[in-house]
Amino acid sequence: MPANMTFDTLKAAVSSGEIDTVLTCIVDMQGRLMGKRFHAQHFIDSGYDETHCCNYLVATDIEMVTVQGYKATSWAAGYGDYVIKPDLATLRLVPWLPGTAMVMCDLLDHHTHDLVLHAPRSILKRQIARAEAMGFTPYMATELEFFLFQDSFDALFDRGYRGLQTLGRHNADYAIFATTKEEAVMRAIRNGLYGAGIPIENSKGEAEAGQEEINVKYSDALDTADMHSIVKNGIKEIAHAAGHAVTFMAKYDHARAGSSSHVHQSLWAGGKNAFHDPEAEHGMSALMRSYIAGQLAHARDLTLCLAPYVNSYKRFVVGMFAPTKAVWSLDNRTAGFRVCGEGTKGVRVECRIGGADLNPYLAMAALLAAGLDGIEKQMELEPAISGDIYQAGALREVPKTLGEAAALMQGSEMLRAAFGPDVVDHYHRAALWEIEEQNRVVTDWEVARGFERA
């Protein structure tokens, strides 16, 4: 489902007074929307061509700290400009904001007008181009989980995020009556996003009290990544307008299940799913088997792109539906990689490692790079694992810490070849900063445990 506005329809909407604001949105290292709010008339007069931003927007941490140690940006280099280049094919309405449209944008070098290589959208676009050069169009979809809270963002901030109470009081996984209690918010989310040209399929209660899941129809990889970021931003804005907060943290409470973002993937050629071979075992083509083999071979190296924070690794807990082993299976939710649609035209691979905190562009780019490497090298797929994979013994494990994942990414020859060494080093530096900050900051948990006891 393409974005639901063209430049001509935007002009007409501005002329009629329907639209007065256009959001020009880039994606930062955390997968968040950043950019400017244009008066719509200025946008259609000249802003549609390009605008500018400080180049620190893809070199900050989650709290917008100007982290040092990046090759691309620093105080010494003066924090100059990048060009924000609107992708007019992504123009869409924002129904939950009055008189507003939005457009996704690329980041370009201010001097050369080349893509900024470490910008998340650029990273994914390069891997899509690689797949297309091989004759394939990557199609993907993401499932996104989050927690919905009774109180507002401001109220929770003002009391230090203590006394968190989810809107739902008990596990409402698939439950209709229980999710009816949350329907005022979730209906607004579904309808608002659909009105923005996002093909929402459904929402449901997830397997923890107050946890929700929203699903969007599959699309080409870049469109899916764009929609994923818009969905997260839209959910926050719609919940905020209703007086509620949400979180996409991978693990907001150690006693509760974490929130995931499963990524479904397939390659298409000639209008058909190239992963499907009706004559092959499980309907899986040789191409699909090599693609999965590549992802398994590089699974540990690409985990940083699926789990970017210290908190991300607290989600990998036995028995809470987050995988601890990077192996593949047939329709088994305890595996890191699950084959779905076995024997059908919709056969695909679902990566279950990523949390809801992932940056979709990095996650999809890394998974695609690994899969294409498997195809190029005609890798053989290892046997599927069945049963309770949590208890399956000595198998390929998901990295246990951010530090381990960062070291694996930095040393990955595959990712350095696919992304470029400067891009890998950029995101490695981001991970090291997260670790430094986590080690430096004294937490409420530490104070509560040690204040009178140490």
Side-chain angles (χ1 to χ4, degrees), residues 1-3 25-28 31-34 85-92 96 102-107 119-125 128 140-142 144 193 196-200 216-235 358-362 364-365:
M1 185 172 175
C25 302
I26 66 161
V27 178
D28 70 2
R32 301 173 298 188
L33 300 186
M34 299 286 170
K85 182 69 173 177
D87 179 351
L88 296 180
T90 67
L91 274 168
R92 65 182 75 236
W96 58 91
M102 69 171 293
V103 64
M104 299 299 290
C105 305
D106 288 310
L107 277 179
R121 207 166 188 261
S122 303
I123 295 171
L124 179 55
K125 289 178 82 169
I128 292 170
M140 298 194 183
T142 58
L144 194 51
L193 292 170
I198 308 289
I200 298 296
V216 177
K217 185 179 180 180
Y218 74 91
S219 185
D220 66 86
L222 185 62
D223 188 39
T224 291
D226 286 345
M227 291 192 296
H228 181 110
S229 291
I230 295 167
V231 165
K232 286 183 76 169
N233 192 75
I235 287 173
L358 59 73
N359 182 323
Y361 302 85
L362 296 180
M364 294 180 196

Side-chain angles (χ1 to χ4, degrees), residues 39-257:
H39 190 285
Q41 187 62 52
H42 183 72
F43 181 83
I44 64 174
D45 286 345
S46 63
Y48 72 90
D49 185 37
E50 66 177 49
T51 185
H52 300 83
C53 68
C54 178
N55 65 17
Y56 92 134
L57 285 179
V58 280
T60 66
D61 72 359
I62 201 165
E63 295 183 285
M64 300 298 290
V65 172
T66 47
V67 177
Q68 298 305 291
Y70 290 114
K71 181 179 179 180
T73 50
S74 66
W75 290 119
Y79 286 109
D81 275 356
Y82 283 147
V83 171
I84 295 177
K85 182 69 173 177
D87 179 351
L88 296 180
T90 67
L91 274 168
R92 65 182 75 236
L93 292 170
V94 184
W96 58 91
L97 297 178
T100 302
M102 69 171 293
V103 64
M104 299 299 290
C105 305
D106 288 310
L107 277 179
L108 309 182
D109 183 273
H110 183 57
H111 303 287
T112 67
H113 273 61
D114 293 331
L115 286 172
V116 174
L117 294 182
H118 59 277
R121 207 166 188 261
S122 303
I123 295 171
L124 179 55
K125 289 178 82 169
R126 291 178 68 198
Q127 295 311 303
I128 292 170
R130 180 181 166 198
E132 290 174 342
M134 297 169 65
F136 304 114
T137 300
Y139 279 89
M140 298 194 183
T142 58
E143 305 171 42
L144 194 51
E145 298 171 359
F146 60 97
F147 281 88
L148 175 61
F149 295 96
Q150 182 168 298
D151 293 327
S152 69
F153 284 108
D154 291 343
L156 295 182
F157 177 90
D158 289 345
R159 65 171 187 256
Y161 300 100
R162 296 178 179 86
L164 295 171
Q165 177 59 61
T166 53
L167 191 56
R169 297 299 203 267
H170 56 83
N171 186 328
D173 196 15
Y174 293 96
I176 296 300
F177 171 63
T179 53
T180 298
K181 299 176 183 179
E182 304 149 3
E183 179 64 353
V185 182
M186 295 308 299
R187 178 173 181 263
I189 287 171
R190 290 193 309 272
N191 290 339
L193 292 170
Y194 198 90
I198 308 289
I200 298 296
E201 293 186 338
N202 56 65
S203 65
K204 60 179 283 291
E206 195 37 56
E208 183 58 83
Q211 192 176 36
E212 315 291 338
E213 178 178 297
I214 194 156
N215 294 302
V216 177
K217 185 179 180 180
Y218 74 91
S219 185
D220 66 86
L222 185 62
D223 188 39
T224 291
D226 286 345
M227 291 192 296
H228 181 110
S229 291
I230 295 167
V231 165
K232 286 183 76 169
N233 192 75
I235 287 173
K236 291 176 184 178
E237 291 179 336
I238 294 167
H240 168 71
H244 299 287
V246 301
T247 187
F248 293 93
M249 285 181 68
K251 190 80 167 178
Y252 96 90
D253 185 333
H254 78 279
R256 298 192 179 203

Side-chain angles (χ1 to χ4, degrees), residues 17 47 75 92 106 138 190 304 327 382 385 397 413 440 444:
W75 290 119
R92 65 182 75 236
D106 288 310
R190 290 193 309 272
L304 181 64
V327 297
E382 63 195 45
I385 306 296
E397 293 190 342
E413 293 182 7
R440 182 181 67 81
D444 290 343

Side-chain angles (χ1 to χ4, degrees), residues 280-352:
E281 185 180 18
H282 311 306
M284 296 168 57
S285 67
L287 182 88
M288 181 180 185
R289 298 181 70 85
S290 289
Y291 184 90
I292 298 174
Q295 294 195 336
L296 294 176
H298 302 298
R300 286 169 51 80
D301 294 354
L302 59 80
T303 301
L304 181 64
C305 296
L306 299 165
Y309 306 110
V310 170
N311 177 263
S312 306
Y313 295 80
K314 298 177 182 180
R315 174 176 151 264
F316 301 124
V317 176
V318 170
M320 287 195 170
F321 287 98
T324 57
K325 306 286 175 53
V327 297
W328 82 280
S329 71
L330 293 164
D331 198 20
N332 185 329
R333 285 180 167 84
T334 66
F337 295 85
R338 179 174 74 125
V339 169
C340 303
E342 174 190 356
T344 73
K345 293 180 180 179
V347 67
R348 62 198 181 277
V349 60
E350 173 197 35
C351 177
R352 297 179 59 82

Side-chain angles (χ1 to χ4, degrees), residues 368-428:
L368 188 53
L372 294 179
D373 190 62
I375 292 170
E376 290 171 343
K377 294 177 179 175
Q378 297 183 322
M379 293 185 185
E380 294 290 330
L381 182 60
E382 63 195 45
I385 306 296
S386 60
D388 182 356
I389 296 171
Y390 289 126
Q391 309 300 330
L395 298 173
R396 186 187 304 103
E397 293 190 342
V398 174
K400 291 182 171 60
T401 66
L402 180 61
E404 182 184 2
L408 287 165
M409 180 180 181
Q410 190 184 44
S412 171
E413 293 182 7
M414 183 277 294
L415 286 175
R416 296 183 86 81
F419 290 1
D422 287 347
V423 173
V424 170
D425 290 345
H426 190 89
Y427 285 90
H428 178 258

